[in-house]
Amino acid sequence: SPESTVEDMVKYIDKMPASRPRAFKTHASPPTLPFQDNVKYVVVLRNPEESIVSMKTFTSKHSQEFLKYWGMPPEAFQWADIEAFYNAFVKGVGMDKMLFGFMAEWWKLRNEPNVLLLHYKDMVSDHEGSITKISDFLGYGPYTDDEWSAILELTSFQWMKKHEARFEASSVWHIPVLEKGAMLRQGSFGMARTKDGMTEALGSDLEERGRKILTDEAAFDWMYNGGP
């Protein structure tokens, strides 16, 4: 909230029980996020065109109560189309630097033993294989057949969509942060241009901007297409 300080957040984290593993979600990358040998990092990347069209939906579904609390006008996160959003967030705010800069920093660390780099496309294409990778990386298991079946069900898009209220920050604040449908949309890939409005011109502009930030060709190809 606007009243929260860094000290408040540190106190909140310190109160979490240290008797079990703690998980933290962030959009930061090193060096903003400290890289420590005793921490395991599960890093998920996505095709940047898909990230942008998904972000448009996510931002537009912030609740009116949330906007009012932060002193923002009701229309603050509303855009007529993807081009208007692109102009505001990529050209205006520099979202391209955030996306491709994130990839550049984590790509350098991809072979570290405490880093697991995953691509959204691969996670959707091979759900069970991806969950196996994460479980092995974190050192969990072995599981009984019933336990494994439950894990696969609870990590599926179908289950999460059915229970999407659990993932929309509905209990983290005294006012609703998001509207229904903000966090879980399609659970698919490859639709940025065919369904979500991303144009050839915007895609070309994004690629041009991205190549200035992410200069490793292998990293650039993996960010767009995934793979081993």
Side-chain angles (χ1 to χ4, degrees):
S1 73
E3 300 86 7
S4 296
T5 65
V6 173
E7 290 74 20
D8 292 334
M9 294 303 299
V10 171
K11 290 178 182 178
Y12 177 78
I13 292 171
D14 284 342
K15 289 181 180 179
M16 294 181 180
S19 58
R20 61 183 183 183
R22 295 181 290 180
F24 301 90
K25 178 183 176 181
T26 177
H27 293 288
S29 59
T32 302
L33 176 71
F35 186 78
Q36 301 174 196
D37 292 338
N38 63 340
V39 175
K40 291 187 176 183
Y41 300 87
V42 179
V43 186
V44 179
L45 276 296
R46 190 177 187 180
N47 178 297
E49 293 186 11
E50 295 178 2
S51 294
I52 287 172
V53 297
S54 181
M55 180 63 74
K56 176 181 179 292
T57 299
F58 172 73
T59 52
S60 68
K61 286 186 175 293
H62 279 71
S63 73
Q64 288 300 308
E65 293 93 333
F66 175 85
L67 296 178
K68 182 178 180 180
Y69 194 88
W70 282 86
M72 303 174 73
E75 70 279 6
F77 287 164
Q78 300 301 316
W79 298 271
D81 52 29
I82 189 64
E83 184 173 2
F85 176 82
Y86 186 91
N87 289 338
F89 267 70
V90 177
K91 295 182 178 181
V93 179
M95 188 177 175
D96 53 324
K97 298 180 180 64
M98 302 174 199
L99 291 173
F100 292 98
F102 182 93
M103 176 66 197
E105 293 301 327
W106 282 114
W107 187 255
K108 299 174 188 175
L109 298 165
R110 68 191 185 281
N111 293 321
E112 294 295 324
N114 60 329
V115 174
L116 177 62
L117 199 62
L118 299 171
H119 197 282
Y120 179 83
K121 177 182 178 181
D122 301 326
M123 295 176 74
V124 173
S125 300
D126 184 8
H127 173 221
E128 183 169 3
S130 299
I131 297 301
T132 299
K133 284 183 181 180
I134 295 170
S135 177
D136 291 346
F137 174 71
L138 296 177
Y140 293 138
Y143 308 99
T144 65
D145 289 345
D146 288 344
E147 288 172 334
W148 186 241
S149 294
I151 290 170
L152 293 180
E153 179 185 5
L154 295 173
T155 56
S156 69
F157 176 80
Q158 291 77 14
W159 190 92
M160 289 188 284
K161 186 65 176 177
K162 184 178 179 180
H163 303 87
E164 62 184 332
R166 297 189 179 201
F167 304 94
E168 293 177 339
S170 57
S171 63
V172 300
W173 212 4
H174 63 279
I175 60 172
V177 178
L178 302 169
E179 297 175 356
K180 183 178 176 61
M183 294 296 291
L184 292 155
R185 197 164 60 99
Q186 297 176 153
S188 59
F189 60 87
M191 296 186 181
R193 299 199 186 191
T194 60
K195 184 177 180 180
D196 293 325
M198 176 62 67
T199 66
E200 182 73 29
L202 294 180
S204 296
D205 183 77
L206 180 63
E207 179 177 348
E208 182 179 349
R209 290 169 179 271
R211 288 190 180 279
K212 294 177 182 178
I213 302 166
L214 185 59
T215 57
D216 186 305
E217 185 61 33
F220 195 88
D221 179 75
W222 189 87
M223 186 177 184
Y224 269 82
N225 302 304

